[in-house]
Amino acid sequence: MKLSTTTEDFAAYYTSDIEKIRELAAAGFRYADLSMYNNEAAAYMHDHWREDIKRLKEEADKLGITFVQAHSPAFETLETLSPTEDPVEKTAQTIRSIEICGELGIPMTVVHAGVKRNTPQEETFRLNKEFYEKLLPTMEKTGVMVLVENVGIADNNGRFYMNSAQRLLDFMEYFDHPLLGICWDIGHANVFGPQHDEIVKLGKHLKAIHYNDNDKVKDLHTSPFLSTLDNDDAMRGLVDANFQGPFTFEATSKIQHKLRRFEKQKGQSGASLPVARAYEKALYETGKYLLSTYNVYED
């Protein structure tokens, strides 16, 4: 497997994707997930966006970085709870993110499924199909696959979540299009327990992963070996599933990013770029160790 991580690792320090991939390369990574999760696609919502993407591609080539997957903007596609969130604008940004993938040769991007209060499975599937169908013309034009991701949230307030392999597979069958696949988030699944069998069950539909750790309670997105994840269970699942995609971390330390800026009188510090760089190098070595241990590391 190719060892990859997300540009989101340096979102707290840079707005420029070029600066972010420079940091990934400095840490040792040669493969990257282009994250547009936190509105980064908004920066490309102008007439000359292809010129920006061309410069990003040129810098990636110079650094020896290959983009292997992406993450499109996150928003509540079925039920907008924030008064400042415009679903029409977010959908346009999502379409642009797919176009960006097409320009960069990125084969796939994650687009979260939506949920809605007091909405059972059948209706949730129907509404999500309507949303993903808005993306289909761009998917088919670019050849970019859209991936539905499992979440680490149990059903609540009548909301039906894509939180298991079977639910994801049922939606794949319901939507029935070759450009829709599955991204399995290891940390999200960790909330529910062992996941070897879940990973294997996904079969041919499993196209990408997000690898991270947590305490089985909060979605912390920390590096493996820092919390409760059974790495052997997860890694054996990927090997036994004959997973052929990149091994992509989504393990940006939320603990570090949520710390307040340095306040001497309170003894608090946070968002330290030197610490982030050290963390990134350790993340690279951790990933290489994991993959090498299971004889699946690929240069």
Side-chain angles (χ1 to χ4, degrees), residues 8-13 252-259 271 276:
E8 184 69 15
D9 290 354
F10 287 92
Y13 311 96
T252 304
S253 177
K254 289 188 176 181
I255 296 172
Q256 179 190 346
H257 289 173
K258 288 184 177 180
L259 286 174

Side-chain angles (χ1 to χ4, degrees), residues 169 198-207 241:
L169 291 171
E198 289 278 276
I199 294 171
V200 173
K201 190 174 185 178
L202 294 172
K204 65 179 182 180
H205 295 287
L206 178 61
K207 305 299 181 181

Side-chain angles (χ1 to χ4, degrees), residues 163-222:
N163 54 19
S164 71
Q166 190 58 57
R167 291 183 177 190
L168 289 166
L169 291 171
D170 288 345
F171 186 68
M172 291 300 107
E173 182 178 358
Y174 179 78
F175 195 82
D176 192 25
H177 194 285
L179 286 177
L180 195 74
I182 292 172
C183 173
W184 188 255
D185 190 296
I186 300 292
H188 294 173
N190 187 54
V191 171
F192 297 108
Q195 55 189 296
H196 171 277
D197 294 349
E198 289 278 276
I199 294 171
V200 173
K201 190 174 185 178
L202 294 172
K204 65 179 182 180
H205 295 287
L206 178 61
K207 305 299 181 181
I209 64 166
H210 291 156
Y211 205 99
N212 55 88
D213 202 345
N214 58 45
D215 60 2
K216 294 188 183 296
V217 179
K218 294 181 181 179
D219 187 22
L220 296 174
H221 282 264
T222 57

Side-chain angles (χ1 to χ4, degrees), residues 24-255:
L24 301 195
F29 288 99
R30 293 294 174 263
Y31 301 97
D33 176 327
L34 180 62
S35 176
M36 293 169 273
Y37 182 88
N38 288 315
N39 295 339
E40 286 88 351
Y44 300 103
M45 298 298 289
H46 57 81
D47 292 341
H48 305 291
W49 64 274
R50 285 186 174 86
E51 295 175 13
D52 293 343
I53 294 303
K54 182 181 178 181
R55 285 190 288 271
L56 176 59
K57 178 67 164 60
E58 289 172 348
E59 184 66 18
D61 289 344
K62 185 168 69 174
L63 294 168
I65 290 281
T66 300
F67 292 107
V68 291
Q69 64 190 68
H71 202 309
S72 293
F75 69 106
E76 297 295 338
T77 57
L78 304 188
E79 183 178 35
T80 301
L81 302 179
S82 170
T84 62
E85 187 170 85
D86 182 349
V88 175
E89 178 184 7
K90 290 289 188 179
T91 300
Q93 291 177 11
T94 300
I95 291 171
R96 177 55 48 84
S97 72
I98 297 170
E99 292 175 323
I100 289 169
C101 288
E103 292 291 316
L104 290 171
I106 302 175
M108 52 195 171
T109 184
V110 174
V111 179
H112 286 172
V115 293
K116 188 176 181 180
R117 285 170 295 184
N118 302 314
T119 305
Q121 176 176 341
E122 184 177 357
E123 180 67 2
T124 298
F125 276 16
R126 186 187 69 79
L127 291 172
N128 273 291
K129 184 176 182 180
E130 285 184 358
F131 170 71
Y132 286 114
E133 283 176 340
K134 296 176 183 177
L135 312 180
L136 266 181
T138 309
M139 293 162 61
E140 292 173 341
K141 181 180 179 180
T142 60
V144 174
M145 177 173 280
V146 161
L147 308 181
V148 185
E149 179 180 355
N150 63 309
V151 299
I153 305 172
D155 295 351
N156 61 74
N157 296 312
R159 298 183 180 95
F160 177 88
Y161 285 92
M162 306 281 192
N163 54 19
S164 71
Q166 190 58 57
R167 291 183 177 190
L168 289 166
L169 291 171
D170 288 345
F171 186 68
M172 291 300 107
E173 182 178 358
Y174 179 78
F175 195 82
D176 192 25
H177 194 285
L179 286 177
L180 195 74
I182 292 172
C183 173
W184 188 255
D185 190 296
I186 300 292
H188 294 173
N190 187 54
V191 171
F192 297 108
Q195 55 189 296
H196 171 277
D197 294 349
E198 289 278 276
I199 294 171
V200 173
K201 190 174 185 178
L202 294 172
K204 65 179 182 180
H205 295 287
L206 178 61
K207 305 299 181 181
I209 64 166
H210 291 156
Y211 205 99
N212 55 88
D213 202 345
N214 58 45
D215 60 2
K216 294 188 183 296
V217 179
K218 294 181 181 179
D219 187 22
L220 296 174
H221 282 264
T222 57
S223 173
F225 302 107
L226 294 184
S227 200
T228 67
L229 177 66
D230 184 340
N231 289 285
D232 183 58
D233 176 67
M235 289 300 303
R236 284 191 302 103
L238 294 173
V239 171
D240 291 347
N242 193 29
F243 175 63
Q244 298 298 307
F247 181 94
T248 300
F249 279 122
E250 199 176 64
T252 304
S253 177
K254 289 188 176 181
I255 296 172

